[in-house]
Amino acid sequence: MATIFSRIIAGEIPSYKIAEDDRFFAFLDINPMAKGHALVVPKQEIDYIFDLDDSLLAGMALFAKKVAAAIQAVIPCSRVGMMVIGLEVPHAHIHLIPIQKEGDMSLANPRIRLSKEEFAEIAEKISSRIN
Ligand code: 5GP
């Protein structure tokens, strides 16, 4: 059965899309740790990130780099943190999280709530910064 992320990539489930190319897809996390929290996923459905072949893994990092720069241009933050967990959804993904301090990356932090309009506006602004 397709993962929820494959269904998002296929457009079967809506998402606040930021960017895509032939191999990768980026969209806002629906349960964000901060405004602009995004996920980068390979279109190829592979569970564990370190099972990606070298070229795909390197390409994913470079795609994430572009998305992170766009996030940083839109969301006031000192850095965009990068995190991989992958215990919830069995489809490799990189979290990109705007942070001001180390503690902002803590999984113990409560997630924030955003309206549909806020999600859409953030995605649109970040998306417009991707070249
Ligand atoms: P992880 O697998 O890295 O522990 O966490 C999966 C992440 O995917 C979580 O931050 C969760 O909020 C996000 N997520 C799970 N399901 C969906 C979904 O249907 N849409 C979006 N945009 N994000 C999701």
Side-chain angles (χ1 to χ4, degrees):
M1 205 176 84
T3 67
I4 192 139
F5 292 166
S6 287
R7 297 183 66 202
I8 285 173
I9 293 163
E12 293 168 21
I13 293 177
S15 71
Y16 298 96
K17 178 177 151 182
I18 293 172
E20 74 176 306
D21 67 8
D22 55 329
R23 294 190 298 169
F24 306 105
F25 194 94
F27 56 106
L28 292 179
D29 193 300
I30 205 65
N31 200 14
M33 291 171 68
K35 277 188 183 178
H37 179 173
L39 301 174
V40 172
V41 304
K43 290 185 172 177
Q44 194 179 345
E45 195 176 284
I46 298 170
D47 178 357
Y48 184 43
I49 194 162
F50 294 124
D51 285 337
L52 270 62
D53 72 34
D54 291 357
S55 146
L56 198 60
L57 182 59
M60 191 168 167
L62 294 176
F63 189 85
K65 180 180 177 180
K66 278 203 294 189
V67 176
I71 292 172
Q72 191 149 23
V74 170
I75 306 289
C77 61
S78 53
R79 298 210 162 194
V80 173
M82 178 165 140
M83 178 165 69
V84 175
I85 310 170
L87 292 174
E88 186 186 321
V89 179
H91 187 146
H93 52 283
I94 292 172
H95 293 257
L96 296 175
I97 305 163
I99 56 171
Q100 298 291 358
K101 57 186 187 308
E102 190 182 314
D104 294 341
M105 293 287 284
S106 170
L107 291 173
N109 293 343
R111 302 287 178 123
I112 63 165
R113 300 188 79 79
L114 298 172
S115 66
K116 286 180 182 176
E117 292 74 21
E118 287 174 303
F119 272 118
E121 187 186 348
I122 293 166
E124 158 63 24
K125 282 186 177 166
I126 296 172
S127 176
S128 72
R129 295 289 190 139
I130 305 267
N131 45 43

